[in-house]
Amino acid sequence: MKTSDDLLIESFAPQLSSLRIAVVTETFPPEVNGVAMTLGWLVNGMLQKGHSVQVVRPRQSREQATLQHEGLDEVLSKGVPLPAYGELRFGMPSKNRLLKLWGERRPDIVHVVTEGPLGWSAVAAARKLQLPITSSFHTNFQSYSQHYGIGLLKTPIESYLRKLHNRTQATMVPTRSLVQDLTARGYENVTLLSRGVALEQFGPQHRSDVLRRQWGVQGDEPVILLVGRLAKEKNVGLVVAAFRAIKARVPDVKLVFVGDGPLRKALTEACPEATFAGVQKGGELAAHYASADLFLFPSMTETYGNVVPEALASGLAVVSYDCAAALELIESGDNGVLVPTGDDVSFVNAAVQLAVDPERIARFRAAAAKAVADRSWDAVADTFLHTLRSVLERHGRPFASVPESRAKASGLPAKERLAHSHARPLL
């Protein structure tokens, strides 16, 4: 005779094609950043494939309502403003609340996206409940520390991150080089999960002469573009330096910043002739990309850099350091230019040499979109699901599709979802 515990475990074992996935994160759409965007695409992919997703996250400032989507359950916690990112909040420790939440309604697997106190609580609660756990490594906190005066914390931050991720059965990272780097630094079970690009959204066909005229562009005058957070860790000052050097050779060049952040005021004062377009989304973002010519990406703190494949998909010539997404997507001299990471002089020189050569820009632009033609988010979602299934199997809970008739015969529901409250408070 089976005990009540046996029945509970059997009831929620991933024997059917549909999974219950609990995702724990500090950021989620409609927030605008790389982690939120990536997670949004993955969650959307899971929902479209018939899985149920529970997102546990802090309530953000100025938040009015949660997303409404069949199969999506958002559980909100209290949050505290994140230093240097006041618009975002990190979740407070919530182990006991998560034990209660998941004890009453067990997910098949827990995926931890961010490593704050809420993420640590999620790992601890899932381990106590013997739930399989996976994680994502999205942000090089040890690199960010030097930009915010907390360099002395680099070693303890690294130790904390390694300990958290090593308590999960798989840590997903977006590039092969990061797999190798983290493995060398003592991270275990590191696996590749690349990122996609919204090919249906971005493309050269969205180029807008109207928008270019709004930027003060006449005819074929070149436009330099940067898309992203205007902050120290993004090294945006180097774009201004490159623009100055290019302008000395190409006087009619224009510079456009898309995005916002703590450095916007200082950049406006340092470069008043630049256009500051603020945060753009959807079709407007696609038009801003496609209406430029040269994309400069000087960041050295990215684990990936979603803006690089978006720029390539939009048909831009890209100059970047040889790291993260650029290293995997750009063939230097074919569809863009890569320079040694951290070599500011080489970066500026490469930008100038490209800007003064319209034929070379045109050649790079013609080849750019091909580099990301196979990078759909649907394919990324399939890889994510494959990793979850692999972890479930290693956890001793084989995953296999079961016909609906067989599921009914076993007494299990053919398709059962998480509770669908949309905004049930955690704390």
Side-chain angles (χ1 to χ4, degrees), residues 41-112:
W41 280 107
L42 285 178
V43 168
N44 186 62
M46 294 301 99
L47 295 175
Q48 289 185 350
K49 295 175 188 298
H51 304 285
S52 298
V53 181
Q54 178 187 73
V55 176
V56 180
R57 63 176 181 84
R59 184 185 296 276
Q60 297 298 339
S61 60
R62 301 187 300 276
E63 182 170 354
Q64 299 299 320
T66 59
L67 297 179
Q68 303 292 309
H69 198 300
E70 178 63 27
L72 174 64
D73 173 29
E74 291 198 71
V75 179
L76 305 184
S77 72
K78 291 181 180 178
V80 176
L82 191 64
Y85 280 78
E87 66 273 21
L88 294 181
R89 295 172 177 267
F90 64 84
M92 300 300 290
S94 306
K95 178 182 176 181
N96 291 336
R97 299 286 184 170
L98 292 173
L99 285 171
K100 184 175 186 298
L101 177 71
W102 293 336
E104 293 175 350
R105 193 74 165 169
R106 290 175 68 91
D108 293 313
I109 193 165
V110 173
H111 182 67
V112 177

Side-chain angles (χ1 to χ4, degrees), residues 95-349:
K95 178 182 176 181
N96 291 336
R97 299 286 184 170
L98 292 173
L99 285 171
K100 184 175 186 298
L101 177 71
W102 293 336
E104 293 175 350
R105 193 74 165 169
R106 290 175 68 91
D108 293 313
I109 193 165
V110 173
H111 182 67
V112 177
V113 178
T114 52
E115 302 99 334
L118 182 61
W120 185 274
S121 296
V123 171
R127 283 166 61 91
K128 187 166 185 178
L129 292 170
Q130 298 186 356
L131 292 168
I133 322 164
T134 59
S135 61
S136 296
F137 191 97
H138 284 281
T139 308
N140 281 319
F141 287 106
Q142 70 277 8
S143 298
Y144 275 49
S145 62
Q146 62 182 314
H147 297 283
Y148 291 101
I150 52 173
L152 293 177
L153 298 179
K154 181 177 180 178
T155 298
I157 288 174
E158 171 75 353
S159 177
Y160 169 88
L161 293 175
R162 183 171 55 245
K163 186 174 182 180
L164 184 149
H165 285 286
N166 284 353
R167 292 188 173 194
T168 72
Q169 276 97 40
T171 295
M172 304 179 206
V173 302
T175 66
R176 295 178 183 84
S177 60
L178 190 55
V179 170
Q180 297 171 354
D181 180 40
L182 291 185
T183 300
R185 284 155 52 186
Y187 287 72
E188 301 168 358
N189 302 315
V190 183
T191 186
L192 179 66
L193 177 68
S194 190
R195 295 188 190 172
V197 60
L199 299 174
E200 69 281 3
Q201 176 182 353
F202 300 104
Q205 69 273 18
H206 299 297
R207 192 173 180 87
S208 169
D209 290 336
V210 172
L211 185 57
R212 285 173 62 85
R213 285 195 295 271
Q214 290 176 3
W215 295 341
V217 179
Q218 302 294 324
D220 294 329
E221 292 175 354
V223 176
I224 297 170
L225 180 70
L226 175 69
V227 177
R229 179 174 162 81
L230 306 182
K232 291 180 181 179
E233 73 275 7
K234 302 300 184 180
N235 200 24
V236 293
L238 189 58
V239 172
V240 175
F243 170 69
R244 296 291 187 208
I246 293 171
K247 195 172 180 60
R249 301 280 300 277
V250 187
D252 56 3
V253 68
K254 301 294 188 295
L255 174 62
V256 176
F257 289 99
V258 173
D260 207 344
L263 285 187
R264 176 166 178 168
K265 181 179 179 181
L267 288 169
T268 303
E269 295 172 351
C271 194
E273 64 267 50
T275 296
F276 292 84
V279 175
Q280 299 291 328
K281 301 180 182 180
E284 289 298 319
L285 177 59
H288 277 70
Y289 269 117
S291 300
D293 302 287
L294 179 59
F295 189 83
L296 302 185
F297 190 65
S299 177
M300 296 177 286
T301 59
E302 308 298 320
T303 56
Y304 191 74
N306 292 323
V307 295
V308 170
E310 290 173 356
L312 290 169
S314 302
L316 300 188
V318 178
V319 176
S320 173
Y321 285 126
D322 58 354
C323 58
L327 181 60
E328 298 212 338
L329 298 175
I330 294 176
E331 292 291 335
S332 195
D334 179 18
N335 60 346
V337 180
L338 297 177
V339 298
T341 299
D343 188 341
D344 292 358
V345 174
S346 292
F347 186 96
V348 172
N349 287 340

